Amino acid sequence: MAKRSRVETELTVNQILDEAFKQILTIGFEAMSYTTLSAATGISRTGISHHFPRKTEFLVRLDERIGQFFIEGLDFSSIARLKQSWGALMQHPERKAVLKLFLSLSSSTDDNIKTLKSLNIVRDTAVAQFAEAGGQCIEQLIGHSVLALFNHGQAT
């Protein structure tokens, strides 16, 4: 079999990552598997595992994209609008799925997961806009969200 070019390999990896991102948002990280990715992309499970030997590597590679997707749903024009947009975000299934993912990973013992920056990106954006009051606001919103998710039996 002919060796694949660097460009072809990069296209394959990006196709897998795009589908992984989509599945994380729609069916959740836990339900996403090499099998679901293979079925959606047409790439064999072996081919996928060649590029991503551990499932957590998807999160590492998608960390910034996940954080940016979450931030896109927030309005940083004022603290009041940030709080309001966070509440609206909690009604959006895909962004809520990202928050649930953040929470489920917070107790991980995997060293790669400990380096994920997604929630820090959200907090840092708020701090850049509103100084420490922004960081405290995000921390409060996360806390309220945790309680809401647990109270509604929706925590992972």
Side-chain angles (χ1 to χ4, degrees), residues 92-112:
H92 188 277
E94 291 179 339
R95 287 192 168 81
K96 191 170 166 180
V98 170
L99 183 59
K100 288 167 70 175
L101 173 65
F102 292 158
L103 298 175
S104 70
L105 296 175
S106 64
S107 63
S108 176
T109 58
D110 185 316
D111 287 339
N112 286 331

Side-chain angles (χ1 to χ4, degrees), residues 114-134:
K114 290 179 184 177
T115 64
L116 295 179
K117 302 175 291 269
S118 297
L119 268 183
N120 290 336
I121 292 169
V122 175
R123 188 183 189 287
D124 292 348
T125 303
V127 168
Q129 190 70 23
F130 308 113
E132 195 50 40

Side-chain angles (χ1 to χ4, degrees), residues 34-120:
Y34 292 98
T35 301
T36 62
L37 291 171
S38 178
T41 63
I43 300 167
S44 71
R45 289 175 41 183
T46 304
I48 294 170
S49 66
H50 171 75
H51 298 291
F52 300 94
R54 296 177 56 219
K55 188 175 172 184
T56 55
E57 290 181 36
F58 293 106
L59 297 175
V60 172
R61 293 285 301 272
L62 291 168
D63 185 30
E64 192 170 321
R65 189 189 310 186
I66 291 169
Q68 285 304 122
F69 175 77
F70 194 75
I71 285 174
E72 288 169 3
L74 297 172
D75 181 346
F76 289 93
S77 61
S78 71
I79 294 270
R81 288 189 184 233
L82 177 59
K83 290 178 180 180
Q84 182 181 24
S85 64
W86 188 284
L89 180 139
M90 289 298 292
Q91 303 307 311
H92 188 277
E94 291 179 339
R95 287 192 168 81
K96 191 170 166 180
V98 170
L99 183 59
K100 288 167 70 175
L101 173 65
F102 292 158
L103 298 175
S104 70
L105 296 175
S106 64
S107 63
S108 176
T109 58
D110 185 316
D111 287 339
N112 286 331
I113 299 301
K114 290 179 184 177
T115 64
L116 295 179
K117 302 175 291 269
S118 297
L119 268 183
N120 290 336

